[in-house]
């Protein structure tokens, strides 16, 4: 289901690829009416990105499908005077403008923050960029990998031999998108009280640093420079990834009682009183010895066995899964995180994951609202699919629209 928490909120999504469209998608899932304003020709670059060349050729690349359901799409040439006039009218009738251009691009097109709030004093303008709208790095281009490296995230990912290592998902883009969606929602709450709009400057670099939490605070507060420790948790032991008879298994026995329970369940209660492991700090100092002792036992049974045993004992643990196993798991299925949508024109696409009627599986929101899963109920839009409808709603005639099309405005 699609939530109604943001019902009535109208969003202009000018963003491309990931961070901005992801933010717009979260707003759409919560009930906002999100209109993608795309460039003529190719539209959002994500339409051409993804592992399926067939889908990319149809301007429905997997990267685009992933975060653009529940939106509408129009094309508009913001460099033309007529296009600017149309956009002014859209700003007048919408609540949010969302973009992830480089700082200053929208202003150079004639729509600075001052101009936007003159058009609509209650507008919420959210600009997502790699480094923010101010500072010495504001004009630098940035992709997720660049931000991962410059935030220090890569320096603490991997181990002493493999670090620095990129996190295997575009985490900086995604965290930046979540930060933007949260800030927009917060700004709308204030506007509901005061009628005042807001200018939101979201930095992917700062969002990533903030998401690192205690890892960053270890340096800020404790003066300790975090180091890459692979799958180990520097705050506790045993807390990391262990080898079983058939795979890898995570255990996080971070509390003293959890460690003692783990020793009991594994049939080695003597480890709980061993001077090397009896207390948190001694366990951390001797984590390799402790890992060897525990793995010697874990290797005697498969991960499924230890999953049942540790779960029954209340010890945090779980198998290390691949993406397919995680998405198809009973837990995720029961929670309804994945939705199935039919997309016109995809019948016959040579891709094993697309159903015979052009159906695809897409992620919804990581939140249940009023006891129900929140997911997309309408498919991602075709490029410019709703252009005519939007212009008609603004009062343009079919003749006007045809003129716009012939003159390259849409």
């Amino acid at each position: 289901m699609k939530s109604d928490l943001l019902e009535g909120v109208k969003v202009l999504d000018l963003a491309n690829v990931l961070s901005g469209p992801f933010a717009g998608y979260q707003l759409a899932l919560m009930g906002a009416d999100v209109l993608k304003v795309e460039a003529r020709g190719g539209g959002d670059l994500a339409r051409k990105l993804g592992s399926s060349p067939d889908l990319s050729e149809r301007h429905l690349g997997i990267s685009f499908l992933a975060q653009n359901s529940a939106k509408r799409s129009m094309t508009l040439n913001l460099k033309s005077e007529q296009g600017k006039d149309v956009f002014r009218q859209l700003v007048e009738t919408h609540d949010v403008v969302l973009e992830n251009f480089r700082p200053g691009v929208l202003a150079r097109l004639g729509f600075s923050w001052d101009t936007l709030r003159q058009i609509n004093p209650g507008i919420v303008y959210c600009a997502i960029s790699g480094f923010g709208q101010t500072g010495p790095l504001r004009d630098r281009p940035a992709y997720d990998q660049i931000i991962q490296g410059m935030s220090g995230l890569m320096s603490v990912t991997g181990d002493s031999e493999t670090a620095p290592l990129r996190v295997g998902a575009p985490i900086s883009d995604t965290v930046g998108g979540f930060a933007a969606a949260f800030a927009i929602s917060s700004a709308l709450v204030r506007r509901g009280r005061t009628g005042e709009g807001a200018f939101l400057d979201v930095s992917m670099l700062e969002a990533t640093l903030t998401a690192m939490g205690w890892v960053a605070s270890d340096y800020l507060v404790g003066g300790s420079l975090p180091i890459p420790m692979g799958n180990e948790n520097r705050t506790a032991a045993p807390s990391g990834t262990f080898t079983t008879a058939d795979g890898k298994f995570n255990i996080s026995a971070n509390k003293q009682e959890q460690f003692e329970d783990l020793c009991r369940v594994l049939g080695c209660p003597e480890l709980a009183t061993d001077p090397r492991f009896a207390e948190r700090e001694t366990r951390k100092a001797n984590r390799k010895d402790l890992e060897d002792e525990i793995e010697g036992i874990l290797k005697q049974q498969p991960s499924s066995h230890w999953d049942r045993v540790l779960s029954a004992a209340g010890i945090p643990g779980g198998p290390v899964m691949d993406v397919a196993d995680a998405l198809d798991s009973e837990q995720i299925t029961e929670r309804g995180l994945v939705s199935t949508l039919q997309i016109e024109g995809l019948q016959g696409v040579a891709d094993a994951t697309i159903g015979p009627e052009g159906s695809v599986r897409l992620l919804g929101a990581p939140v249940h609202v009023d006891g129900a899963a929140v997911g997309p109920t309408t498919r991602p839009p075709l490029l410019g699919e709703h252009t005519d409808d939007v212009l008609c709603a603004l009062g343009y005639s079919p003749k006007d629209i045809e003129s716009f099309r012939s003159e390259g405005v849409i």
Side-chain angles (χ1 to χ4, degrees):
M1 62 162 269
K2 182 178 171 182
S3 171
D4 63 356
L5 294 180
L6 291 177
E7 185 174 351
V9 172
K10 299 174 69 176
V11 179
L12 293 174
D13 179 355
L14 282 70
N16 277 271
V17 186
L18 185 47
S19 61
F22 183 82
Y25 184 43
Q26 301 310 305
L27 299 174
L29 290 174
M30 292 301 158
D33 176 6
V34 179
L35 173 63
K36 281 190 71 71
V37 180
E38 302 187 65
R40 294 170 60 254
D44 186 341
L45 176 61
R47 288 184 177 275
K48 304 288 286 184
L49 301 177
S51 61
S52 169
D54 201 346
L55 288 175
S56 294
E57 184 64 28
R58 298 170 188 238
H59 286 84
L60 287 170
I62 292 174
S63 180
F64 179 83
L65 297 180
Q67 57 257 340
N68 286 288
S69 293
K71 299 180 185 180
R72 297 180 296 149
S73 168
M74 75 173 296
T75 56
L76 190 62
N77 181 1
L78 285 174
K79 294 181 180 179
S80 70
E81 287 306 314
Q82 291 170 309
K84 294 179 193 294
D85 288 340
V86 171
F87 188 67
R88 288 188 190 95
Q89 294 180 65
L90 290 172
V91 172
E92 287 178 355
T93 57
H94 282 70
D95 304 291
V96 178
V97 172
L98 169 66
E99 54 98 341
N100 62 346
F101 303 133
R102 283 202 214 176
V105 168
L106 196 60
R108 288 194 293 273
L109 289 169
F111 296 98
S112 65
W113 165 232
D114 286 339
T115 300
L116 290 172
R117 62 180 172 177
Q118 286 173 9
I119 299 170
N120 181 348
I123 198 74
V124 172
Y125 170 35
C126 180
I128 308 173
S129 61
F131 303 99
Q133 302 294 305
T134 60
L137 302 182
R138 69 182 293 272
D139 294 321
R140 289 181 60 159
Y143 285 110
D144 179 87
Q145 180 146 353
I146 308 305
I147 300 300
Q148 285 200 33
M150 295 183 72
S151 66
L153 180 59
M154 287 177 61
S155 76
V156 295
T157 304
D159 55 29
S160 58
E161 295 182 355
T162 60
L165 194 66
R166 175 185 176 273
V167 176
I171 191 69
S172 295
D173 269 319
T174 304
V175 168
F178 271 130
F182 171 70
I184 289 169
S185 300
S186 300
L188 289 170
V189 172
R190 185 181 74 176
R191 197 190 68 167
R193 292 196 317 266
T194 68
E196 181 184 2
F199 173 39
L200 308 172
D201 171 5
V202 178
S203 158
M204 288 167 54
L205 177 64
E206 292 165 41
T208 304
L209 279 163
T210 302
M212 290 170 68
W214 64 260
V215 175
S217 294
D218 253 3
Y219 170 72
L220 290 174
V221 180
S224 174
L225 185 65
I227 60 173
M229 295 185 64
N231 295 324
E232 295 287 337
N233 178 353
R234 69 180 303 184
T235 68
S239 188
T241 304
F242 299 84
T243 302
T244 66
D246 64 351
K248 297 293 183 179
F249 195 87
N250 281 325
I251 297 176
S252 294
N254 295 351
K255 297 180 179 180
Q256 183 67 28
E257 56 268 32
Q258 290 170 341
F259 171 63
E260 293 172 359
D261 287 342
L262 176 65
C263 294
R264 175 180 53 79
V265 167
L266 294 182
C268 51
E270 68 280 0
L271 293 182
T273 56
D274 187 310
R276 296 173 297 167
F277 314 131
E279 298 178 355
R280 172 184 293 269
E281 294 305 317
T282 58
R283 287 195 296 276
K284 288 165 58 179
N286 296 284
R287 66 171 68 243
K288 185 60 174 67
D289 290 344
L290 181 56
E291 178 183 310
D292 291 342
E293 295 279 0
I294 291 175
E295 279 198 340
I297 299 170
L298 294 177
K299 287 179 179 178
Q300 298 172 21
Q301 296 287 346
S303 293
S304 58
H305 169 80
W306 297 118
D307 196 27
R308 291 191 302 271
V309 170
L310 269 63
S311 178
I315 301 167
V320 176
M321 299 180 172
D322 63 22
V323 174
D325 287 340
L327 288 173
D328 294 333
S329 68
E330 183 179 358
Q331 176 68 19
I332 294 302
T333 300
E334 172 69 22
R335 292 280 292 177
L337 178 64
V338 179
S339 298
T340 300
L341 296 176
Q342 252 183 262
I343 300 181
E344 298 167 15
L346 294 192
Q347 296 86 343
V349 172
D351 194 307
T353 61
I354 296 178
E357 298 181 350
S359 61
V360 297
R361 296 194 302 161
L362 300 170
L363 292 173
V367 178
H368 281 204
V369 175
D370 298 330
V374 176
T377 56
T378 56
R379 60 172 174 76
L382 304 178
L383 179 60
E385 179 178 353
H386 303 94
T387 301
D388 289 14
D389 292 341
V390 172
L391 292 174
C392 284
L394 291 176
Y396 291 100
S397 68
K399 184 177 180 181
D400 294 329
I401 296 171
E402 184 55 38
S403 176
F404 284 163
R405 190 162 277 117
S406 65
E407 294 174 12
V409 177
I410 58 175

